[in-house]
Amino acid sequence: MICFNDAETDAQTPPDGYGQVLVDPPENFPSWAAYMEFISKQAFNEAKRMQEIDEK
C-alpha cells in the first residue's frame, strides 16, 4: 500500500490498516502472523464445511 498523505509520511506512522503492528497480538499467539494463520485456517474450514452442506 502506498500512502500519499504527507501528514502520515512526515510523522513516520503506518498508513491506515497497519495499526495492529503497534498492538500486541491476542493472548496465546506469539505474533500477528500466527494469529492471522489461525483465523485463515478457521475461515477455510468453515467455508469448506458450508460447501459440503450445500452439496448435500
Side-chain angles (χ1 to χ4, degrees):
M1 178 174 166
I2 298 172
C3 178
F4 293 107
N5 183 339
D6 291 335
E8 290 290 331
T9 55
D10 289 345
Q12 298 300 313
T13 57
D16 290 344
Y18 292 92
Q20 72 272 17
V21 174
L22 305 175
V23 179
D24 291 335
E27 287 185 28
N28 304 323
F29 294 98
S31 66
W32 278 105
Y35 174 73
M36 295 306 291
E37 180 181 3
F38 172 76
I39 293 298
S40 294
K41 285 181 180 177
Q42 279 191 328
F44 175 80
N45 291 336
E46 180 65 14
K48 188 175 178 180
R49 185 180 73 79
M50 295 303 290
Q51 182 180 12
E52 289 170 355
I53 290 172
D54 288 342
E55 290 174 355
K56 289 183 179 179

